[in-house]
Amino acid sequence: MSTAAIAHPKSFWREYVFSTDHKTIAKQYLSTGIFMALVGGLLAYVMRMQLAYPGQAIPGYGTIDPQSYNAVVTMHGTIMIFWVAMPILLAAFGNFLIPLMIGAADMAFPRLNMLSYWIFFLSTVVLLASFFVPGGAAAGGWTSYPPLSGSAAYSGGQWGVTLWLLAVAMEFAAFLMGGINFITTAINNRAPGMKLFDMPLMVWMQLGASIIFLFSVGPLIAGAVMLILDRVAATGFYNPATGGDPILFQHLFWFFGHPEVYVILLPGFGAVAEVLPVFSRKPFFGYRMMVYATIITGVLSFIVWAHHQFIAGIDPRLATAFSITTILISVPIAVMTFAFIATLYKGSIELKTPMLFALGTLVVFLLGGVTGIHLGTAATDIYLHDTYFVVAHFHYTLIPPVFFGFFAAWYYWFPKMFGRMLNEGLGKAHFWLTFIFMHVTFIPMFLLGFGGHHRRISNPQFFEAMQGPEAERLQIIATAGAIGILLSQIPFVVNSVLSLLRGAKAPANPWQANTLEWTVPSPPPHGNFETVPQVYRGPYEYSVPDRVDDWFPQDAKV
Amino acid sequence: MAEYPRAEHILNESTEVPTGRLGIWWFLASEVVIFGGLIATYVLFRWQHPEWAAEASHTLNFAGALNTMVLLTSSLTVVLAHAAITEGKFQLAARNLGFTLLGGAIFMGVKAYEYSHEIAAGFVPARSLFWSFYYTMTGLHALHVLGGMIAIATVLVAVRKGHAPQRVEYVGLYWHFVDIVWIFLFPLLYLAS
């Protein structure tokens, strides 16, 4: 059957707004995610300025009171995880790439896909609206622990946390729809000849992330329902006075929250896995091992959650068990890292911008992963818990997939998405500036954390232990770094806008890559493939001996 | 079994399982963990609080038993609808879906009677943790019954016109799931008193 037979939508609304085309939906998620990244970035700016120059007026904002500072911290975390990492890495790139990479005309359920985006859009509106309600936005941290989030008396107002919970619940519903779509499509709608082990690793990673999300989010949905009822219906699920238990929410939250780390990490690693073989002209090292490591990571991620609660009063015997599982999960992650490095070994490495960002992902994530050992071990965590060490650690683990992984994907698939080439010089400037300022921002936080500097404190001068010229100097360096990161995005924006307007037209396969998305025009037409592709081989057959071309497309017969 | 019609954008079905059926099963998997989280939490609390048995004795066992019977019967009619559709009997399938819808409506009616009776007697959600769980769990389940009824009504309209035979199986699977959740809730909340 020819896919060109699929009717192309005619009206403006059906084509650009209420579209069922996976590529348009991907771009909708992408633009919403980038907009929210800007909001999250500006919140970080406010937070960093307050920490470096406590109590002074922040240019463009003014002075900030403790309640608003807490709201800024809360919303920065919430937005960056749920409204930036998830829509960009999963929804945007998953939507764009899964059908193209497996040779499908669209997602399995295109209308469900559209519904998913518009529910997500609505959740974005609800979240942003929560800034402007009486009492301000939620201020109980992105984890929203009760009792802080459990009653209006503690959270500053009745509306902030309730709207936060509503927005997050809608966001989860949107991503469940998206996840079911991803899983069904990847399992069932592969082109003839493409076996599971012929799927590009990006598809595996999206599949893994979707399954992890689907199985972990349920208990938190139940937990969020109970928290909403505690607030509006006077139930007492998390209130010790009525026999409830605030620790219960921590369990339900982190049963989802820790697998969520891998939901975000895997698609970022997927982008790295696609970029490395193309720019080293080598087969991916240990493709199957990579898939097995993904599965093992997924399974283990469900039994590590209590390492977030070592000082919450859980049984010390439990703490030991969770320390062990936490250290254990670094094994499959190390397998992935070594597979990446071995893919580079003796390759013809070409340091184009996507490759730089892919390598940057590995370098930064390695530091994040190693510092995770300190926190996963109960004994050291008891000292470091809730200090800036934790803040530095999770930025070192999340920025690689969320930003470096996203940028690797952006520079790699931009030609396919928009049909234009990006400028290499501006791309490299973007990488080096972001990479350098990333360390300038977060290395001081490791040091502050070792010094006992507590996080989520609106003004360090309130506490004697957090004063002193050294701590002040480190805070100022970190703030300078954070502003540097924000300014480093100027070449990215300029490059993207200029290239969209007048970049060189992109050929179908600018990187000479093997996977199916490069066999269709850039940008791909509605319905993607002229004829249903037939797949003959795996995705990473580069530099095959006795072949003239050093790449071997998956659908090429000989 | 009758061939399921395939949407035009589905070029290939790698597993030879209809894509819609696969999607429904994954959807049910996501629902299982939502109710699973809630039920597990309740069971852990109940274990610590044997005194909740006295509270649970105020639930209306006869109403719960009646609803169990109604819901199980409505699951039977949805199976009969599926059997009819595989033989191409669209009108018979629609009639059986109608019976399922009726079962759902009776269930919701009995639920409304129970809630109003209990609230009038002072057993409100904020009375104690047991009642908080009772209303949260049965309420979430009732919302699912309502959602299932809307889905079944939509499919019923299509099937009457001779469209979308595959959807009878999909709503049937969902209805069974809603039924099975109730099979857990009834003994946990009503009978264990």
Side-chain angles (χ1 to χ4, degrees), chain A residues 211-460:
Chain A
I211 293 177
I212 296 172
F213 180 78
L214 184 135
F215 282 120
S216 64
V217 79
L220 181 57
I221 291 178
V225 168
M226 291 192 268
L227 189 52
I228 291 180
L229 290 174
D230 268 12
R231 292 180 63 84
V232 302
T235 57
F237 291 112
Y238 304 119
N239 183 357
T242 60
D245 187 355
I247 303 286
L248 167 66
F249 186 83
Q250 299 190 11
H251 284 296
L252 295 174
F253 185 88
W254 287 114
F255 184 81
F256 159 77
H258 202 83
E260 169 73 4
V261 173
Y262 299 96
V263 171
I264 291 167
L265 176 68
L266 292 180
F269 268 16
V272 174
E274 294 306 320
V275 168
L276 290 186
V278 172
F279 293 92
S280 340
R281 314 308 295 170
K282 265 190 66 192
F284 194 90
F285 182 90
Y287 168 91
R288 276 180 186 249
M289 204 43 77
M290 192 75 181
V291 173
Y292 296 143
T294 308
I295 295 168
I296 293 168
T297 306
V299 172
L300 283 177
S301 74
F302 282 87
I303 49 169
V304 298
W305 80 87
H307 66 219
H308 294 272
Q309 301 162 254
F310 285 153
I311 65 158
I314 61 168
D315 192 314
R317 288 166 298 178
L318 209 57
T320 309
F322 278 98
S323 285
I324 292 167
T325 55
T326 303
I327 307 292
L328 213 57
I329 204 167
S330 58
V331 175
I333 296 292
V335 169
M336 292 185 193
T337 313
F338 282 121
F340 288 141
I341 295 169
T343 301
L344 297 170
Y345 182 65
K346 286 190 173 171
S348 320
I349 291 173
E350 210 180 347
L351 289 177
K352 289 265 174 61
T353 314
M355 184 64 160
L356 284 176
F357 272 107
L359 294 174
T361 308
L362 296 185
V363 172
V364 180
F365 185 79
L366 192 65
L367 289 167
V370 166
T371 51
I373 305 284
H374 300 67
L375 298 172
T377 312
T380 39
D381 179 70
I382 287 166
Y383 175 71
L384 292 169
H385 193 93
D386 254 337
T387 66
Y388 269 87
F389 189 89
V390 177
V391 179
H393 159 72
F394 68 68
H395 281 90
Y396 261 99
T397 50
L398 289 176
I399 284 180
V402 178
F403 287 101
F404 286 74
F406 157 52
F407 289 133
W410 177 261
Y411 286 95
Y412 183 62
W413 281 295
F414 184 92
K416 185 54 62 186
M417 273 186 153
F418 301 101
R420 305 275 184 169
M421 299 301 289
L422 284 162
N423 179 295
E424 271 295 313
L426 282 169
K428 283 178 179 150
H430 175 214
F431 169 74
W432 284 111
L433 288 169
T434 308
F435 184 76
I436 291 166
F437 282 119
M438 148 93 214
H439 298 292
V440 175
T441 309
F442 295 105
I443 287 175
M445 292 197 198
F446 278 126
L447 302 175
L448 282 167
F450 273 131
H453 221 78
H454 215 271
R455 70 169 169 150
R456 287 176 176 161
I457 299 291
S458 67
N459 187 336

Side-chain angles (χ1 to χ4, degrees), chain B residues 59-134:
Chain B
T59 53
L60 305 175
N61 282 356
F62 72 91
L66 176 66
N67 257 351
T68 308
M69 219 164 71
V70 168
L71 215 50
L72 285 176
T73 312
S74 71
S75 262
L76 169 70
T77 52
V78 96
V79 171
L80 292 176
H82 181 231
I85 210 84
T86 50
E87 292 166 17
K89 295 176 183 160
F90 280 72
Q91 297 312 316
L92 182 62
R95 196 173 333 134
N96 275 306
L97 285 178
F99 285 132
T100 305
L101 218 47
L102 183 69
I106 295 173
F107 180 90
M108 293 300 280
V110 172
K111 202 81 236 158
Y113 164 77
E114 276 181 83
Y115 276 3
S116 51
H117 192 271
E118 281 149 1
I119 290 170
F123 300 113
V124 293
R127 181 188 155 95
S128 75
L129 214 47
F130 171 79
W131 289 99
S132 299
F133 272 112
Y134 170 82

Side-chain angles (χ1 to χ4, degrees), chain A residues 273-284 412 509 511-515 518 537-545 547 549-553:
Chain A
E274 294 306 320
V275 168
L276 290 186
V278 172
F279 293 92
S280 340
R281 314 308 295 170
K282 265 190 66 192
F284 194 90
Y412 183 62
N509 191 0
W511 314 118
Q512 305 183 328
N514 287 344
T515 39
W518 302 108
R537 65 187 57 75
Y540 304 112
E541 304 212 356
Y542 292 99
S543 306
V544 176
R547 207 183 130 76
D549 294 333
D550 73 343
W551 75 101
F552 205 170

Side-chain angles (χ1 to χ4, degrees), chain A residues 5-22:
Chain A
I6 295 172
H8 192 276
K10 288 286 184 293
S11 86
F12 170 82
W13 287 95
R14 296 292 296 176
E15 189 170 352
Y16 295 106
V17 185
F18 297 107
S19 170
T20 54
D21 188 312
H22 70 103

Side-chain angles (χ1 to χ4, degrees), chain A residues 184-204:
Chain A
T184 312
T185 310
I187 290 180
N188 217 27
N189 301 134
R190 280 168 280 125
M194 181 178 272
K195 299 184 287 293
L196 276 175
F197 280 105
D198 291 332
M199 292 198 306
L201 283 168
M202 183 60 159
V203 179
W204 270 112

